[in-house]
Amino acid sequence: TTFDAKDYNNNATSNYNEAIPLTYNEAKVGCITGNFNSSLVNMFFVNGTKNILSLSYSEVGVINIQMQETLGLEFALVDASDTADTQRFITPYDQNWSYTPDHFILTGSHFDNNATGFTYLSSDLNMSANLNLTIIAQNLNNITTQNYNSACYSKTTSYGLSYTPLVLSPSTSLSRINYLEANTSISGNLLINNAWTIASIPNTIFSTDNNGTGKLNIKVNFDRNETKTINPFNFTARDINITDFDGIQGGIDLNQSTTFYYGRAHAPDYRFAGNSGTAMMYYEVYAKDLNLSQRQAFGITGNQGVDSVNWYQNALHVNTSGVTNPSSATITIGAQTNATTSSVVLTHTPPHVGKVNLGSSPWLVYYPTNFTVEFYSSGSWAGAGFVKEGQPNATDTNTTVGEHIHKTAPIKANRRITW
């Protein structure tokens, strides 16, 4: 950086060997004035020139720089009696210098499942994996620039996000990645395995504090279809790149994965002897043609579904991962518990057959969305069969060969097969 004290011909003034005071201040009220790496309090000129080999500033901002001769110590003091001040003094220097960050870092960023070990596939982004980005503006010396905040000098930013290409089974069950940036409500979607960019995020993500740090919370999921199952898969975030309005850049190879399950809430049909019974509802994961070790690699360790193949109970499920809220037009729904499985007490006077709607969270809907419940009771007798004619009054104590009577019916109901 070179300063010149110029003469009337616009050249450095020969024999101008003076110490000139310099002052600098942040131009915007409320923003921090940083520090230069060299002392600029007194700028000593030699033959009208001051050279500073390396000059850097610790902050971002607009700095007002002022430099002028001191009255009574000016170079042309000898002409004070016969020359106007405007002609004798070197023209003062009064300029604004602008500083931007040197780069961004994304240290502390992470890609998290919705629950421990997994995220359910969902078109509703209330169930989603969370890509949390921490963006820090720094100067050339890797020191955070505190003025890079929304009250001072932060700018809009844009992002390029890359990920490991997805291989899905079956490949036609999903087609798009959906996302929502929760702090700005900016949302969008893209075709799977296409380039992912998020443009023009407002500078408000850097808030108004003086820490030079912005936050993004990008909720990520896919276009789940309630009728199209898909095997579990990992989604790996790789290079995350940022560029602000001034062209300042930064990035990170995150290389972190989340695991996505196609899940459902499910209950088999039930038959209860009497007027009440407890129905179990299961949270299950689809995993077709995966052997034990392959399922375990995805964290699927539960038993196979109670009445279906390719479905396995999700041992990682918790209440925050989704629930059932059963209802019925005819059956009374009692106390319910929710955990890895859900249970509910059902009541109705027998005989009765009715349906219970699962009422599950949207990402756990898979048809059918209800199950059938039958209540039955035993009668006081089951009838009699006669092999020998002429014995209409046979009893338990007076039974002829070939006759049988039970006055008390068995509890278990008979099921009829028609040939």
Side-chain angles (χ1 to χ4, degrees):
T1 303
T2 300
F3 294 89
D4 289 322
K6 295 183 176 182
D7 60 20
Y8 62 91
N9 291 319
N10 208 33
N11 298 317
T13 304
S14 179
N15 296 322
Y16 190 88
N17 303 308
E18 305 288 335
I20 306 300
L22 179 147
T23 61
Y24 62 91
N25 290 285
E26 168 57 49
K28 184 177 286 189
V29 175
C31 301
I32 295 170
T33 299
N35 299 298
F36 284 99
N37 63 332
S38 297
S39 176
L40 303 180
V41 175
N42 284 298
M43 302 276 285
F44 191 81
F45 286 74
V46 176
N47 287 324
T49 298
K50 170 63 177 179
N51 287 314
I52 302 175
L53 296 179
S54 177
L55 183 63
S56 63
Y57 183 65
S58 64
E59 266 299 337
V60 297
V62 176
I63 308 303
N64 179 248
I65 308 290
Q66 295 185 6
M67 183 168 46
Q68 63 182 17
E69 293 182 298
T70 303
L71 182 63
L73 299 176
E74 65 272 20
F75 177 67
L77 178 62
V78 66
D79 299 318
S81 62
D82 57 6
T83 307
D85 289 350
T86 55
Q87 294 178 315
R88 287 188 307 106
F89 279 83
I90 301 292
T91 303
Y93 182 88
D94 188 346
Q95 296 290 329
N96 288 336
W97 294 4
S98 295
Y99 286 89
T100 62
D102 177 73
H103 61 273
F104 296 102
I105 62 171
L106 286 88
T107 302
S109 299
H110 47 94
F111 194 22
D112 301 322
N113 280 301
N114 182 272
T116 301
F118 78 97
T119 301
Y120 283 123
L121 286 165
S122 174
S123 294
D124 180 342
L125 289 175
N126 286 310
M127 165 58 62
S128 59
N130 292 283
L131 180 57
N132 291 290
L133 302 182
T134 300
I135 306 107
I136 304 172
Q138 292 191 329
N139 62 22
L140 184 64
N141 296 317
N142 300 319
I143 305 299
T144 299
T145 50
Q146 299 180 67
N147 277 345
Y148 203 88
N149 63 69
S150 59
C152 293
Y153 295 102
S154 65
K155 302 295 176 65
T156 58
T157 49
S158 297
Y159 300 82
L161 304 96
S162 70
Y163 53 93
T164 301
L166 289 169
V167 179
L168 306 175
S169 176
S171 61
T172 57
S173 290
L174 301 174
S175 62
R176 289 188 172 273
I177 300 171
N178 298 325
Y179 66 87
L180 167 68
E181 200 297 297
N183 296 326
T184 60
S185 298
I186 291 176
S187 62
N189 63 80
L190 62 143
L191 289 171
I192 290 174
N193 293 334
N194 278 21
W196 186 1
T197 59
I198 305 177
S200 302
I201 296 291
N203 71 329
T204 51
I205 65 167
F206 290 89
S207 70
T208 58
D209 52 18
N210 292 322
N211 63 11
T213 300
K215 298 282 188 180
L216 290 182
N217 173 215
I218 304 172
K219 297 183 175 297
V220 182
N221 215 307
F222 297 81
D223 57 336
R224 178 187 188 271
N225 188 299
E226 295 174 357
T227 63
K228 294 182 178 181
T229 54
I230 188 170
N231 274 342
F233 61 90
N234 292 325
F235 184 42
T236 304
R238 293 304 306 259
D239 291 326
I240 313 294
N241 297 303
I242 174 178
T243 303
D244 80 352
F245 183 80
D246 292 326
I248 310 304
Q249 298 181 331
I252 188 174
D253 181 4
L254 196 59
N255 197 21
Q256 294 182 13
S257 299
T258 53
T259 298
F260 284 88
Y261 290 166
Y262 190 101
R264 73 172 181 177
H266 175 71
D269 293 337
Y270 285 95
R271 301 181 74 241
F272 299 125
N275 62 3
S276 69
T278 299
M280 300 297 298
M281 295 168 287
Y282 300 92
Y283 301 107
E284 298 178 339
V285 177
Y286 185 81
K288 183 179 181 181
D289 298 331
L290 299 185
N291 61 34
L292 177 61
S293 62
Q294 290 172 323
R295 295 196 305 272
Q296 289 176 340
F298 286 110
I300 302 171
T301 60
N303 295 328
Q304 185 169 300
V306 295
D307 64 347
S308 52
V309 297
N310 301 328
W311 293 92
Y312 296 85
Q313 294 171 26
N314 184 7
L316 299 176
H317 185 94
V318 292
N319 288 349
T320 55
S321 303
V323 295
T324 56
N325 185 25
S327 63
S328 174
T330 60
I331 297 172
T332 301
I333 309 294
Q336 180 184 5
T337 62
N338 272 301
T340 304
T341 58
S342 179
S343 64
V344 65
V345 176
L346 306 176
T347 305
H348 197 285
T349 302
H352 179 75
V353 177
K355 289 188 178 295
V356 175
N357 296 311
L358 288 166
S360 50
S361 300
W363 47 89
L364 295 173
V365 172
Y366 180 73
Y367 294 97
T369 59
N370 53 45
F371 59 97
T372 300
V373 181
E374 179 183 351
F375 298 89
Y376 65 90
S377 60
S378 60
S380 59
W381 59 278
F386 299 98
V387 174
K388 188 175 180 181
E389 294 183 0
Q391 302 293 331
N393 299 316
T395 66
D396 282 346
T397 57
N398 180 23
T399 302
T400 311
V401 176
E403 300 173 357
H404 182 69
I405 296 176
H406 255 305
K407 290 186 176 180
T408 303
I411 294 177
K412 185 174 181 180
N414 294 324
R415 307 302 295 269
R416 175 179 297 175
I417 299 176
T418 302
W419 296 89

